[in-house]
Amino acid sequence: MADELSDDALLAAWRAGDRSAGGRLFDRYYQPVARFFANKLEGASEELIQRTFLACVEGLPKFLGKGSFRSYLFSIAYRQLCRHHRTRRGEQIDFGTVSAHDLGPTPSQVLAERDEQRLMLVALRRIPIDCQVALELLYWERMGTAEIAAVLDVPEGTIKSRLRRGRELLRAAIEGLAASPELAQSTLEDVDAWAQALRERVARERAKKDPPLE
């Protein structure tokens, strides 16, 4: 079955002219790409999902297989996110210091069922975007540091430092935003579990929306 094939096998078939293999790759990664934009933008996420897949198709001849298809696709999503903010604001932005909260309103649909989940989503939007992206790729996409480095096109050591800083800033944001010390503590006790719950929540919500690209 096509769904059981690896990304590399589907990519090879797509390159050989099998358009259905490309469709299967897009089906496989539609929700992850949507999840990437979900907590960073209000209103423009659907457009950027479409732009990401279009850029993937246009750039495929230049993709030489260095790294995974997944890191290639998420690197495009990251560039689309950065381009969107820079175009909208008409200025250079330091994503190592500016947060999603600084750049726009909180998404109107907060995909959370528990207070801890909601707090974590809001706190992630309060840390620098580069730290938010690195943590969400770690927590939601289960990427290792090498793959995150490939997505963001920086050395692996930089990612390790960024993850450490991101965790520290996330903790501080959670403590500062929590309605009570008890809520902060329950959120911080098992960040990985809340991140996994959010990942599943976003996947369920995305499944209710329009079907993936064909």
Side-chain angles (χ1 to χ4, degrees):
M1 296 292 292
D3 285 340
E4 297 173 352
L5 295 176
S6 69
D7 289 355
D8 288 343
L10 287 172
L11 182 60
W14 187 16
R15 288 183 186 277
D18 183 354
R19 295 182 63 183
S20 67
R24 294 262 58 83
L25 274 173
F26 282 7
D27 286 349
R28 181 174 292 177
Y29 283 106
Y30 187 86
Q31 284 193 9
V33 170
R35 187 163 55 230
F36 175 83
F37 291 116
N39 195 38
K40 302 178 184 72
L41 295 167
E42 167 65 20
S45 60
E46 294 295 337
E47 179 183 355
L48 292 188
I49 294 167
Q50 300 292 328
R51 288 184 182 179
T52 296
F53 284 108
L54 178 59
C56 173
V57 173
E58 293 175 343
L60 193 63
K62 298 179 181 179
F63 176 54
L64 303 178
K66 182 181 179 181
S68 66
F69 175 79
R70 182 169 75 154
S71 63
Y72 163 68
L73 184 60
F74 274 97
S75 69
I76 294 173
Y78 175 69
R79 290 197 298 272
Q80 291 294 333
L81 176 70
C82 294
R83 184 177 296 116
H84 167 80
H85 284 307
R86 285 172 174 148
T87 299
R88 186 170 64 86
R89 291 180 58 107
E91 61 187 61
Q92 289 297 313
I93 299 172
D94 181 2
F95 294 104
T97 59
V98 173
S99 70
H101 174 78
D102 296 330
L103 295 174
T106 300
S108 57
Q109 293 183 337
V110 179
L111 304 176
E113 297 171 305
R114 296 282 301 272
D115 289 342
E116 290 89 349
Q117 295 173 351
R118 189 174 295 104
L119 175 58
M120 186 171 178
L121 282 174
V122 174
L124 280 165
R125 287 180 50 81
R126 296 298 182 104
I127 69 176
I129 285 180
D130 278 350
C131 290
Q132 179 188 2
V133 168
L135 283 176
E136 290 184 0
L137 291 176
L138 174 72
Y139 289 143
W140 291 2
E141 308 310 328
R142 303 188 183 97
M143 290 187 183
T145 54
E147 193 170 10
I148 298 173
V151 170
L152 302 183
D153 194 25
V154 296
E156 188 173 356
T158 299
I159 294 301
K160 291 178 180 178
S161 298
R162 194 170 292 178
L163 288 171
R164 285 194 298 270
R165 178 171 179 251
R167 288 188 179 100
E168 292 171 357
L169 292 173
L170 181 63
R171 170 179 285 274
I174 288 172
E175 291 175 341
L177 292 166
S180 68
E182 292 77 17
L183 177 57
Q185 183 61 31
S186 64
T187 304
L188 290 168
E189 279 178 352
D190 199 346
V191 169
D192 289 346
W194 294 123
Q196 175 62 22
L198 283 169
R199 182 183 190 277
E200 295 170 356
R201 173 70 171 168
V202 173
R204 290 197 303 272
E205 290 298 321
R206 290 303 316 182
K208 298 176 184 177
K209 293 182 178 291
D210 294 339
L213 300 173
E214 296 182 357

